[in-house]
Amino acid sequence: MPATVGNGMGLGVQRTVLITGVSRGLGRALGLELAKRGHSIIGCSRSQDKLNSLQADLHSPSSASSSSSSSDGHHLLMNVDVVAPYCASKWAVEGLSRSVAKELSGSVAIIALSPGMVHTEMLESCFGSSANVYPTPDEWAPRAATMILNLTAADNGASLTV
């Protein structure tokens, strides 16, 4: 089912959400949270093993949605084992999001989402033990999922921070 924008509540409307870096950290936590809420995930990562683990978790009974709008396990995960294009894509997300937003205005909200400060392995590598004051991916994901599911067409082209 294609992504649609509803009434801003994220209720009753199944969405398809694209997540880069879906196999670990913030991407994994967000993917699991959205799948738990009954939405379909399209994701890419550089680690096939971690994608396999995520695929198993997405199809486990604990990640199944209790709502009637379950995604029935329709998730597409891809291994992108090329570092340079993957890193370049992270830098280009905002520009690409704005361009696509202009082309696809109407019933779709294309946004660049900045996670803010979150306690991940990457943050630990930069901040050491100071990273402990920030939320973990599992603490961050429910807030991010709620924010994403409340987007409307009026948010199209925005750059937002959770």
Side-chain angles (χ1 to χ4, degrees), residues 7 11 21 30 50 61 83 87 138:
N7 61 5
L11 303 173
L30 182 59
K50 290 181 180 181
V83 176
C87 292
D138 289 336

Side-chain angles (χ1 to χ4, degrees), residues 25-105:
L26 301 177
R28 180 183 178 87
L30 182 59
L32 289 170
E33 180 68 26
L34 289 167
K36 183 173 75 176
R37 295 183 186 199
H39 303 282
S40 296
I41 305 304
I42 298 174
C44 59
S45 170
R46 295 178 292 129
S47 170
Q48 187 62 52
D49 290 343
K50 290 181 180 181
L51 279 176
N52 293 344
S53 172
L54 175 61
Q55 188 72 40
D57 289 347
L58 285 170
H59 291 290
S60 73
S62 63
S63 70
S65 170
S66 59
S67 74
S68 60
S69 63
S70 171
S71 65
D72 297 326
H74 293 113
H75 309 292
L76 173 63
L77 305 178
M78 299 172 283
N79 184 26
V80 181
D81 195 13
V82 182
V83 176
Y86 184 81
C87 292
S89 72
K90 293 291 188 179
W91 285 96
V93 166
E94 190 163 332
L96 176 63
S97 296
R98 287 182 181 178
S99 294
V100 173
K102 287 181 182 179
E103 292 178 23
L104 298 177
S105 61

